[in-house]
Amino acid sequence: VTHVRNFVSAGAFATANGIIPDGQAIKTAYQALQTPLKGTRMQNDLYEELLQLGVVNSNVRLGDLTRLLEDVNFGETMTSDKGLRMLLKPLSKLKSVSQDLYTAEDDFWKIASWAMEKSRLESSMLAKGIKRGDVIKRGGVDITIDDEFFKQEAADIVRNNIPNYDYVSDVVKSLRKLPIGNFVSFPAEIVRTGTNIVRRALSEINGTITKADGTVIKPFQRIGYTRLFGFGATVAAVPAGAVELGKTLYD
């Protein structure tokens, strides 16, 4: 149940950014996952690159869970009884598999979101007559449009708009030790990313760039409106839909 919840909630952050992954993005995300599942680990180079970009392997709830397990040494401090330690040993292997899957469920949506963000950034610029190799001016800085530009831009969006354990402050992480709840990083990241999604959408709607011929355009307006609509729809519709589904299932 926890794994299903993890996968579904991670998907909600994609829709909150106005993203519904297409077939190619789904295929790319699945093949890049680092799991024993058939068909994964086929794009290891891409996964390594996304690791360097800070896109993957940053599951917020897994980060809290790992720290909690470290706090109690995964049960080793509970007793010195040899029999119980022998019982806990197989659970250590189960913990490792669960962590891999937990990370993969989060990585799937982050990779798919990264691929979709990269694709729609390039499509939006191409629609405005800006292609690879062109030089634009944004914020007073000259930028050459190439594949690296789209990779970095998409990675920046995913890092800031989807929960990332690397961005959780030490103060928030330490709250797990207080009797107010163990998994405190996730709600903290909801606040951060929710704010960032709206901020990014408004920036895309109003942001301008200057083409080489001096023309000032707003190439990302459509993305901004889509992101804003996706955020509103996800925040309003998903919780209400989940409640009604629960009512229906359990009468």
Side-chain angles (χ1 to χ4, degrees), residues 8-248:
V8 172
S9 63
F13 283 93
T15 60
N17 278 281
I19 291 175
I20 299 178
D22 58 22
Q24 184 57 47
I26 290 173
K27 181 180 178 181
T28 298
Y30 184 77
Q31 290 181 342
L33 294 179
Q34 302 297 293
T35 73
L37 298 176
K38 185 178 180 180
T40 61
R41 296 182 184 272
M42 295 179 67
Q43 295 203 45
N44 291 335
D45 290 343
L46 173 61
Y47 191 86
E48 286 293 329
E49 185 175 14
L50 293 176
L51 201 56
Q52 293 294 323
L53 290 169
V55 171
V56 294
N57 200 21
S58 55
N59 187 295
V60 174
R61 281 189 293 256
L62 181 59
D64 274 339
L65 178 60
T66 301
R67 293 295 183 90
L68 285 166
L69 291 175
E70 289 174 358
D71 289 343
V72 299
N73 207 11
F74 196 55
E76 290 179 15
T77 59
M78 293 179 186
T79 178
S80 59
D81 183 79
K82 184 177 179 181
L84 187 55
R85 288 204 307 272
M86 290 174 67
L87 287 173
L88 287 171
K89 191 173 181 180
L91 290 178
S92 260
K93 296 178 181 178
L94 179 62
K95 180 193 71 169
S96 178
V97 173
S98 294
Q99 284 183 337
D100 288 344
L101 290 175
Y102 220 63
T103 300
E105 292 148 11
D106 190 61
D107 283 349
F108 174 84
W109 289 107
K110 286 183 176 177
I111 298 171
S113 295
W114 176 83
M116 291 297 294
E117 293 286 6
K118 181 174 177 287
S119 176
R120 67 181 182 178
L121 283 168
E122 186 165 6
S123 296
S124 295
M125 297 194 84
L126 198 58
K128 296 293 185 179
I130 302 172
K131 59 186 184 300
R132 296 189 184 201
D134 290 349
V135 177
I136 64 167
K137 189 180 289 293
R138 184 172 68 171
V141 179
D142 288 334
I143 300 172
T144 300
I145 303 302
D146 54 15
D147 194 49
E148 188 62 24
F149 167 80
F150 293 117
K151 287 180 179 179
Q152 292 286 351
E153 194 76 9
D156 182 68
I157 295 172
V158 173
R159 286 195 305 266
N160 288 289
N161 290 12
I162 297 178
N164 189 319
Y165 195 66
D166 293 338
Y167 282 45
V168 180
S169 71
D170 290 336
V171 173
V172 172
K173 290 177 182 177
S174 65
L175 292 177
R176 73 181 184 280
K177 297 181 178 180
L178 300 178
I180 59 173
N182 302 121
F183 295 90
V184 292
S185 296
F186 189 61
E189 278 297 275
I190 289 177
V191 174
R192 184 185 72 88
T193 56
T195 302
N196 285 345
I197 289 171
V198 175
R199 183 184 291 121
R200 176 80 194 193
L202 295 176
S203 174
E204 289 166 334
I205 292 170
N206 300 306
T208 62
I209 65 171
T210 305
K211 296 172 65 175
D213 61 5
T215 306
V216 177
I217 60 172
K218 296 180 179 180
F220 306 129
Q221 266 194 332
R222 185 174 180 179
I223 296 177
Y225 283 121
T226 301
R227 196 183 307 279
L228 208 56
F229 175 79
F231 180 75
T234 301
V235 170
V238 171
V243 170
E244 292 306 316
L245 177 61
K247 288 179 178 179
T248 301

